[in-house]
Amino acid sequence: MKNLWLLLFFVLCACTSNTNTNGEKSIDCVHRLLVHSDSCLLGKPFLIALSDSIVTVVDQNNEKMMYMFNATSGKSLGGYVKRGQGPDEYYSISQLGNWKDGLFFYDINKRVVAEIEFKDSIHIIPRFNLGKDVHFSFAPLNDDVFIA
């Protein structure tokens, strides 16, 4: 089907302001991105992150586990991260988040943290392995330190 329009974020562009009982104010914003692609059909989007105007979507039902889109135009930048057990392949991505000037993801089966760099092109770089006892979430504190 040519010119397939996917509604990736199916939420209306709106912001609401809330005030709690302590008088603290918070703003909840919801955004919408219309993705234009005739080569990408997402089966089961699981995680979504934004870095450097690139939207990254982890999809559990495709051979390529990550799809990237230009956040401004909605055009597909392609599929990345091949599913598998071999080198340069990943099996089950459980976390995706911002790190350094790009993103990181964690494969819970291989216990590998990898970096996604957005420089001249998109690079997936395995950075380190976690021990077998790490089964919970973690987050980067800075470029070299993660907290669990």
Side-chain angles (χ1 to χ4, degrees):
M1 193 188 305
K2 286 223 176 223
N3 298 328
L4 177 64
W5 288 92
L6 298 175
L7 186 58
L8 184 58
F9 304 113
F10 51 87
V11 198
L12 299 175
C13 291
C15 289
T16 59
S17 176
N18 298 316
T19 305
N20 67 14
T21 56
N22 296 333
E24 298 169 334
K25 211 169 204 185
S26 67
I27 298 175
D28 298 321
C29 290
V30 183
H31 302 280
R32 172 179 76 184
L33 171 67
L34 204 52
V35 175
H36 174 237
S37 173
D38 54 359
S39 64
C40 170
L41 183 60
L42 298 174
K44 185 178 177 186
F46 176 59
L47 301 168
I48 299 172
L50 174 66
S51 178
D52 194 33
S53 75
I54 296 175
V55 175
T56 302
V57 179
V58 174
D59 187 353
Q60 299 285 14
N61 283 0
N62 282 314
E63 181 181 341
K64 298 286 187 175
M65 295 174 63
M66 282 189 193
Y67 288 89
M68 297 184 192
F69 304 91
N70 181 297
T72 306
S73 69
K75 291 190 179 187
S76 174
L77 303 175
Y80 296 85
V81 185
K82 187 174 180 183
R83 180 184 301 280
Q85 300 270 347
D88 299 328
E89 295 178 336
Y90 298 90
Y91 193 73
S92 182
I93 296 173
S94 65
Q95 282 187 259
L96 176 69
N98 293 334
W99 186 38
K100 298 184 180 180
D101 292 329
L103 298 171
F104 79 92
F105 66 89
Y106 175 55
D107 183 322
I108 195 166
N109 284 1
K110 292 179 84 174
R111 304 210 188 286
V112 173
V113 174
E115 179 181 2
I116 305 169
E117 283 186 346
F118 303 107
K119 293 194 177 173
D120 296 335
S121 59
I122 298 170
H123 301 282
I124 312 292
I125 306 159
R127 288 298 181 194
F128 54 89
N129 292 351
L130 296 178
K132 64 180 180 177
D133 297 328
V134 178
H135 296 285
F136 38 81
S137 297
F138 58 92
L141 289 180
N142 60 38
D143 288 352
D144 299 319
V145 177
F146 278 75
I147 186 168

